[in-house]
Amino acid sequence: MKVLKVPYAEKDEAKALGARWNPARKSWYVPDGVALEPFARWLAGGADAVTNPAAAPSSRDARAAKPVTGSKYIELAHACNPFEECPECRPTLAESGWLEAHQAVRKMLAGL
């Protein structure tokens, strides 16, 4: 799947060529298996992206690359559940401020 940068005025043309609209990302894309040549002008990197895909910049959305929610997101060293006590992760959670924020939310929810 390749993401396209289609101006609004050209959306009907892109759709006629086989482009699809992703409402969640609010962007047009070329489905897998569809030839990229007709979409060269809308691909990041232009026609060079069709002939040399390695030359095109990545079209990955930063939000899709890493599921981050909230300002206190931290990546833990191993796959544990931060909502359960983990002696290995507790110092990291406390140092980052995550533990304090989590406790404040729990306190607020308890009062509801």
Side-chain angles (χ1 to χ4, degrees):
M1 176 178 91
K2 287 284 191 183
V3 177
L4 303 172
K5 294 185 184 223
V6 180
Y8 183 79
E10 299 173 11
K11 69 177 180 63
D12 292 331
E13 187 179 348
K15 185 176 181 180
L17 291 171
R20 298 286 179 254
W21 176 252
N22 182 330
R25 288 189 172 179
K26 297 184 182 196
S27 64
W28 288 93
Y29 67 95
V30 180
D32 292 334
V34 176
L36 296 177
E37 288 78 17
F39 305 98
R41 69 178 180 206
W42 299 308
L43 285 169
D48 189 41
V50 175
T51 57
N52 185 7
S58 174
S59 61
R60 286 187 71 177
D61 182 354
R63 291 175 290 179
K66 187 175 183 182
V68 177
T69 54
S71 62
K72 296 293 180 185
Y73 175 84
I74 60 167
E75 191 149 350
L76 299 173
H78 67 283
C80 71
N81 182 353
F83 298 102
E84 295 175 5
E85 192 67 32
C86 174
E88 186 177 335
C89 293
R90 185 170 181 74
T92 305
L93 294 172
E95 182 181 306
S96 70
W98 186 94
L99 197 57
E100 184 179 328
H102 176 66
Q103 290 169 346
V105 169
R106 290 184 89 177
K107 190 178 205 179
M108 179 195 65
L109 291 174
L112 294 179

